Amino acid sequence: MRVVLGVSGGIAAYKAALLLRLLSEAGHEVTVVPTAAALRFVGEPTWAALSGRPVATDVWTDVHEVPHVRLGQSADLVVVAPATADLLARAAAGMADDLLTNTLLTARCPVVMAPAMHTEMWEHPATQANVETLTQRGVHVVPPAAGRLTGADSGPGRLPEPEHLFEVCQRELARADRVTRTSGARQDLVGTRVLVTAGGTREPLDPVRFLGNRSSGKQGVALAAAARRRGAIVTLVLAHAEVPPPPDVEVVRAGSALELAAATRAALPSHDVVVMAAAVADFRPDAYVETKIKKSYDTEDEEPGPTIRLVRNPDILAGLVAERGEATDPLIVGFAAETGDEDGTVLEHGRTKLERKGCDLLVVNEVGIDKAFGQDENSVVILRRGVENPVAEVGPAGKAAIADAVLDAILDARRRRG
Ligand code: CTP
């Protein structure tokens, strides 16, 4: 397997040489990416000799091979050991000021980071916040060991033993390999950048209350997982959900409709496909009350209670279609939760909505208290703009099977557009 070993500038860099040896002996092709500071601790010849490969030190060498994106894109695992406080901060901020941080931004494989630093630096809220951010994005952060540090002092901050880090790397590689193998033969979305929104938004009312909805997020999360299994590079903009995000996708948390709108809009230009599976509140309280709304204790009489005025949220899906303008990319997919009524059937309402929103595909499902929301089985009809009949009817089926059918319809629509 292809492993990138990132080394940042700490005294524990010498231990990374042992980790390199273990990874190489296990048969992995290891490319070492030391930062400039790391090279002051352990020099390039050591890394080259132990890995048997050229050492990648900066973005300006072998530019014709575009190393700043190639290394990350083609890696099966990126492990950073030691990860200094500075490296964690740069990675958490999404900076790309050297080859290692470029590689971290382009990697779509599992990422392991092993922080090592003095106890004060490790315990500092800034470092802890950066670790939290990275963990939320799916990075496997191996906590530092406690013990003797560089000087006379001791405490948590030591790089764990190379044997332990090696085991963590092997486990991550085995897990990623299992995901690829159990995904079956279909790897038809390799290189496609898919943005999925999922979950239900929560519209804040005061510091303790919100207006929410019954969405569990299961279908959207299943879509993100299926797209990833089929090889896509996936960003999941996740509102409130009852299920955790799948591994190996970039997760952007969004609470309210306005947050989800901002996150989705920002991500639009860098994706080939956008799937709006989130249940976005159409309305929000017109004002957020900064302090908790209290009931009155002054009167024995029944208090009428406060009135909540609602205002419209933007229609995010329609906004994305408008933002795309004349361009054909990205392909935009909407979801419609419908009930039949005297004005039309579920399908008729779906067709009208597809026209109104102007998206390319619309996944229509029938909802009711016990239908679709939170259930593990679902039935959907997929409509394509400009095509009278549904392009697919699926279910009742599990949400993973529905997700695969939606992805098939997306591939088909993209092929037809050429
Ligand atoms: N959607 C959105 N922004 C909103 C509301 C909905 O982007 N403010 C998206 C949803 O993510 C979904 C699609 O629009 O992909 C359809 O949502 P739905 O709630 O069924 O439709 P509405 O536009 O709310 O229409 P109606 O209330 O008439 O059913």
Side-chain angles (χ1 to χ4, degrees):
M1 298 259 206
R2 277 161 304 188
V3 177
V4 169
L5 171 60
V7 185
S8 57
I11 187 80
Y14 76 91
K15 283 195 189 172
L18 301 173
L19 174 61
L20 168 58
R21 170 152 245 163
L22 292 169
L23 289 166
S24 300
E25 281 173 357
H28 301 303
E29 184 186 298
V30 190
T31 304
V32 184
V33 183
T35 62
L39 290 172
R40 300 184 70 148
F41 289 95
V42 179
E44 192 172 334
T46 305
W47 303 120
L50 287 176
S51 67
R53 297 174 52 76
V55 177
T57 51
D58 66 72
V59 290
W60 306 114
T61 310
D62 298 328
V63 175
H64 63 287
E65 289 181 0
V66 208
H68 73 288
V69 291
R70 187 184 46 80
L71 276 172
Q73 281 175 342
S74 60
D76 297 305
L77 176 81
V78 178
V79 48
V80 184
T84 57
D86 177 68
L87 188 279
L88 294 172
R90 288 188 293 131
M95 287 174 70
D97 52 354
D98 62 10
L99 186 57
L100 181 54
T101 44
N102 272 277
T103 302
L104 286 166
L105 279 184
T106 49
R108 291 297 179 269
C109 57
V111 176
V112 174
M113 288 194 186
M117 62 200 75
H118 267 79
T119 307
E120 293 83 351
M121 295 172 90
W122 170 247
E123 288 176 348
H124 195 283
T127 305
Q128 288 301 310
N130 291 330
V131 168
E132 173 69 21
T133 302
L134 292 164
T135 307
Q136 286 225 347
R137 285 188 202 142
V139 173
H140 182 145
V141 178
V142 186
R148 175 87 193 273
L149 302 170
T150 321
D153 45 353
S154 62
R158 271 169 69 91
L159 187 72
E161 291 313 309
E163 290 76 12
H164 175 62
L165 295 177
F166 172 67
E167 269 170 36
V168 173
C169 292
Q170 290 290 79
R171 264 204 308 277
E172 286 292 335
L173 281 163
R175 199 161 59 89
D177 191 38
R178 218 166 31 244
V179 170
T180 313
R181 277 188 285 114
T182 52
S183 71
R186 264 196 299 186
Q187 285 288 296
D188 46 8
L189 286 170
V190 173
T192 308
R193 294 158 305 169
V194 178
L195 173 70
V196 180
T197 68
T201 63
R202 288 179 161 186
E203 308 304 312
L205 182 58
D206 73 7
V208 295
R209 302 182 180 94
F210 57 82
L211 302 182
N213 61 60
R214 299 169 60 89
S215 170
S216 66
K218 286 181 184 170
Q219 185 63 74
V221 167
L223 258 155
R228 180 68 200 112
R229 270 201 307 276
R230 289 166 69 160
I233 299 159
V234 181
T235 307
L236 177 63
V237 176
L238 190 58
H240 175 73
E242 287 168 17
V243 286
D248 216 10
V249 308
E250 184 175 343
V251 180
V252 180
R253 296 277 174 177
S256 64
L258 292 180
E259 283 170 17
L260 195 126
T264 310
R265 209 164 152 211
L268 181 77
S270 54
H271 289 81
D272 306 304
V273 176
V274 180
V275 185
M276 280 292 303
V280 183
D282 287 323
F283 302 97
R284 67 178 183 277
D286 73 337
Y288 173 73
V289 184
E290 297 285 344
T291 51
K292 187 181 169 190
I293 302 169
K294 294 284 214 181
K295 58 184 172 289
S296 150
Y297 293 96
D298 296 345
T299 166
E300 295 281 298
D301 300 339
E302 198 124 298
E303 199 194 351
T307 303
I308 302 165
R309 271 180 53 85
L310 299 177
V311 290
R312 279 284 283 271
N313 271 326
D315 185 327
I316 303 170
L317 179 58
L320 295 178
V321 171
E323 180 107 7
R324 179 181 67 172
E326 294 301 306
T328 49
D329 269 342
L331 186 120
I332 300 177
V333 184
F335 269 68
E338 298 291 348
T339 55
D341 56 25
E342 64 274 15
D343 293 329
T345 62
V346 167
L347 204 56
E348 282 162 353
H349 283 310
R351 281 209 190 88
T352 313
K353 191 166 287 178
L354 179 60
E355 283 313 313
R356 184 160 38 100
K357 302 241 180 185
C359 52
D360 302 290
L361 293 170
L362 191 73
V363 183
V364 185
N365 63 355
E366 192 176 356
V367 289
I369 293 285
D370 56 349
K371 277 190 186 156
F373 283 121
Q375 303 295 304
D376 291 323
E377 291 251 306
N378 197 2
S379 293
V380 302
V381 172
I382 305 175
L383 301 175
R384 191 165 75 229
R385 199 147 52 93
V387 180
E388 177 64 20
N389 291 322
V391 292
E393 292 182 43
V394 202
K399 294 196 172 184
I402 305 260
D404 273 321
V406 173
L407 294 172
D408 289 343
I410 288 172
L411 274 169
D412 187 48
R414 272 169 61 84
R415 257 184 238 115
R416 280 167 199 277
R417 282 196 331 198

